[in-house]
Amino acid sequence: QIDDSLTHYIMSDIRIRTSNFIKSKFKINSNEFVLPSDAQLVKHSQEELSDLNNNMNIHSDNIHPTGDFHPSHYRRYSSILYLNEGYYGGETVIGGKTIQPKKGKLVSYKSDVLHKVNNLTGSKLEKYKSDRYTMAMWFTNIPQYYKK
C-alpha cells in the first residue's frame, strides 16, 4: 500500500497507459477488458541477484509448473518498466528472448509465458553498488480483480 498520493497518482497513470499499450500490442478488441490488477516497485540488489540460490528463476506469473492452484491465476498480461540503469546483468529473459534493461523501457507479455531475471554481475560505476529497480505490473480481463 502506498501512502504518498503523488506516487500513487503516477503509478496509476503508468498502469492505465500500459493497459492501453497492451490492448494495442496484443490487438485486443476495444470492448474487451484489460484492467490493472497488481503493481509493485521492485528492488533487486546485487547481493540478491548474484546469489545463485536467490535469483528470479524461470517462472510464469499465473501458473505453477506443478499445475497447483496459483494465487494470481487471474493475471492475463504482465509488464515490466525499467526505472534505472548503472548495473551489469539483470536482463529479463522472456520466452527465450533476452531483453536488455534500459531506463524507461516497457516490456509486456502474456502472464503464462515463462521468464526469468538474470543475475546482476556488477556496477557500471565501480566504486558504487547499483541495484536494479523496476515497476512490475499485472493486468486481468476479470473485473472482480481490478485494483485502482
Side-chain angles (χ1 to χ4, degrees), residues 26 61 76-80 94 107-111 113 115:
F26 293 100
D61 291 336
R76 297 296 180 261
Y77 300 94
S78 302
S79 293
I80 301 166
I94 302 171
V107 178
S108 297
Y109 51 95
K110 291 185 176 182
S111 295
V113 173
H115 60 283

Side-chain angles (χ1 to χ4, degrees), residues 2-13:
I2 298 173
D3 293 331
D4 181 328
S5 61
L6 178 58
T7 303
H8 185 270
Y9 173 80
I10 291 169
M11 287 181 68
S12 293
D13 184 61

Side-chain angles (χ1 to χ4, degrees), residues 5-115:
S5 61
L6 178 58
T7 303
H8 185 270
Y9 173 80
I10 291 169
M11 287 181 68
S12 293
D13 184 61
I14 291 169
R15 292 168 64 215
I16 290 166
R17 290 171 186 256
T18 302
S19 176
N20 292 331
F21 172 77
I22 288 170
K23 284 182 112 173
S24 172
K25 176 179 178 170
F26 293 100
K27 298 177 175 62
I28 298 169
N29 293 330
S30 59
N31 61 342
E32 292 182 55
F33 294 114
V34 176
L35 302 168
S37 61
D38 309 296
Q40 37 179 220
L41 297 175
V42 181
K43 173 188 173 187
H44 289 290
S45 70
Q46 284 191 3
E47 291 80 17
E48 289 173 335
L49 286 181
S50 7
D51 177 356
L52 295 178
N53 297 316
N54 193 23
N55 62 10
M56 291 285 294
N57 290 321
I58 197 157
H59 66 282
S60 74
D61 291 336
N62 66 357
I63 301 171
H64 277 301
T66 61
D68 292 338
F69 178 79
H70 193 290
S72 301
H73 60 91
Y74 54 85
R75 292 175 176 169
R76 297 296 180 261
Y77 300 94
S78 302
S79 293
I80 301 166
L81 177 62
Y82 297 97
L83 300 177
N84 72 317
E85 295 176 324
Y87 52 86
Y88 292 112
E91 303 89 359
T92 306
V93 181
I94 302 171
K97 181 180 177 188
T98 301
I99 309 295
Q100 296 297 324
K102 182 177 181 188
K103 183 172 69 173
K105 181 187 271 188
L106 176 70
V107 178
S108 297
Y109 51 95
K110 291 185 176 182
S111 295
D112 59 353
V113 173
L114 293 175
H115 60 283

Side-chain angles (χ1 to χ4, degrees), residues 62 123 131:
N62 66 357
S123 171
D131 298 322

